[in-house]
Amino acid sequence: MSIMKLVSAPVHIRRLSIFILLVAYLLLFSGSYICAETFTDGTGRKIELSKRPERIVSLAPNITEILFSLKLGDKIAGVTDLCDYPEEARDKPKVGWLISPNIENIISMRPDIVFATTEGNKPEIVDELERMNIKTYVLNPHNINDVINDISAIGDVTGQRKEAREITASLTRRIDSIKKKASIGKPKRVIYLISTDPVISAGPGSFIHDIILTAGGFNVLSDSPIRYPRIDMEELILKDPEVIIVPVDLIGQLQGWKKRWGGISAIKNGMVYTIDPDIVSRPGPRIIDGLEQVHEYIRNNPDINNKAGIKKKPLQ
């Protein structure tokens, strides 16, 4: 209805039109919802909510990071013992460990919704929360694109749609920039070492594998049938990676590698780098920081500043 027609309409029609416009405005710009709304989580479960959640419990560090990035810190009622980023997360009430949160603690927090993940939380925990009539939304990420979708999904469920759109647009631009740069040149052979004794790496199906490929590398364990294969040193020498990336706390164990396996290209050429494992293993917004850092390592440009605050230098 045009403005002129609205002005000349009967009073009851004008009131009804104004009410409809007001509702539309609230839905579009407040990001909340006033009627029951049904959401489908990452495992296909239906969750119906009648109001915007005001009390939220997070059962994983990556979820906590997503909630804070969406400016929901004041609505977080509880987090796991492992949730340590951002700094404010350390002060939130704790619900226990990732794989074994305390159900009684969660109930006592009277959450409007609990966010869980298949990457760490046991299905039995979700079943138990459902039996307690606690709304539980489960994330099921497998790669970088899934992380972007999860941020959008949490934005929808919590009514923070505008914030989610802004964050995902920014992260997507950064991903596209890396993809464009990574498309130039021949991919380098890369290995990410989760541990060194025994040597465990990342194969297809892991976030780290997706990061290596997206950053312009070739994962030397791309043919692994499992996500986190254990390999011996002879196999590592045969794979001859040109770039080795390890969690920063393993650097001490690698100091002896230069003598024992000095023939490996990465060690011979000084392309062994450390990284904060949280930015490549937690499927939250900081995983794009990890992507950018891995890309710089592959390009052998370790001296740029990085958002994770880790000083990047090759192993000496």
Side-chain angles (χ1 to χ4, degrees), residues 50 58 65 72 109 117 131 190 209 221 248 286 288 290 303:
S50 58
S58 163
E65 294 190 21
L72 290 165
M109 291 171 178
T117 175
R131 280 195 290 274
V190 181
H209 175 79
L221 294 176
V248 66
R286 289 196 297 162
I288 311 306
D303 296 325

Side-chain angles (χ1 to χ4, degrees), residues 21-255:
L21 288 172
L22 180 59
V23 171
Y25 175 84
L26 289 172
L27 288 175
L28 281 173
F29 297 103
S30 72
S32 63
Y33 42 92
I34 58 175
C35 299
E37 193 167 350
T38 301
F39 303 92
T40 303
D41 75 4
T43 62
R45 299 164 56 256
K46 304 288 184 184
I47 297 96
E48 184 177 289
L49 296 175
S50 58
K51 64 175 184 177
R52 181 173 176 161
E54 295 296 328
R55 296 182 60 77
I56 303 170
V57 167
S58 163
L59 293 188
N62 64 301
I63 294 171
T64 300
E65 294 190 21
I66 292 174
L67 292 172
F68 272 101
S69 75
L70 292 173
K71 302 176 182 176
L72 290 165
D74 61 336
K75 295 185 178 180
I76 298 176
V79 300
T80 72
D81 294 342
L82 294 175
C83 295
D84 57 2
Y85 188 92
E87 189 65 28
E88 301 94 295
R90 298 176 183 269
D91 298 327
K92 290 293 181 181
K94 299 299 186 289
V95 299
W97 288 97
L98 183 70
I99 60 172
S100 57
N102 188 307
I103 298 294
E104 291 182 357
N105 271 0
I106 296 173
I107 294 172
S108 70
M109 291 171 178
R110 297 175 290 105
D112 296 316
I113 191 164
V114 173
F115 284 104
T117 175
T118 57
E119 290 285 316
N121 299 136
K122 292 180 178 177
E124 295 84 355
I125 297 297
V126 175
D127 294 341
E128 181 66 17
L129 291 172
E130 278 194 327
R131 280 195 290 274
M132 295 293 119
N133 293 318
I134 294 177
K135 307 285 186 183
T136 307
Y137 188 102
V138 182
L139 306 178
N140 187 23
H142 295 283
N143 51 49
I144 294 173
N145 285 336
D146 288 345
V147 175
I148 300 299
N149 292 333
D150 283 347
I151 295 172
S152 294
I154 292 180
D156 288 342
V157 172
T158 60
Q160 296 292 93
R161 291 181 168 118
K162 176 175 176 292
E163 289 77 4
R165 281 198 300 271
E166 291 173 352
I167 292 170
T168 56
S170 173
L171 296 179
T172 300
R173 283 194 295 272
R174 291 168 60 190
I175 295 169
D176 291 342
S177 174
I178 292 296
K179 285 181 176 177
K180 185 176 180 181
K181 289 186 285 188
S183 65
I184 301 171
K186 182 182 177 183
K188 284 196 173 106
R189 300 186 303 278
V190 181
I191 190 168
Y192 181 95
L193 300 179
I194 294 171
S195 73
T196 55
D197 187 19
V199 178
I200 297 176
S201 185
S206 67
F207 290 102
I208 294 166
H209 175 79
D210 192 40
I211 287 173
I212 291 173
L213 298 190
T214 307
F218 171 76
N219 186 359
V220 296
L221 294 176
S222 290
D223 58 351
S224 170
I226 59 176
R227 287 201 293 175
Y228 300 105
R230 178 174 174 170
I231 61 173
D232 56 40
M233 280 303 158
E234 288 72 22
E235 184 180 1
L236 178 60
I237 292 171
L238 287 174
K239 297 288 186 184
D240 190 27
E242 296 170 285
V243 180
I244 297 176
I245 302 172
V246 297
V248 66
D249 58 334
L250 293 183
I251 189 63
Q253 298 179 37
L254 286 179
Q255 293 297 342

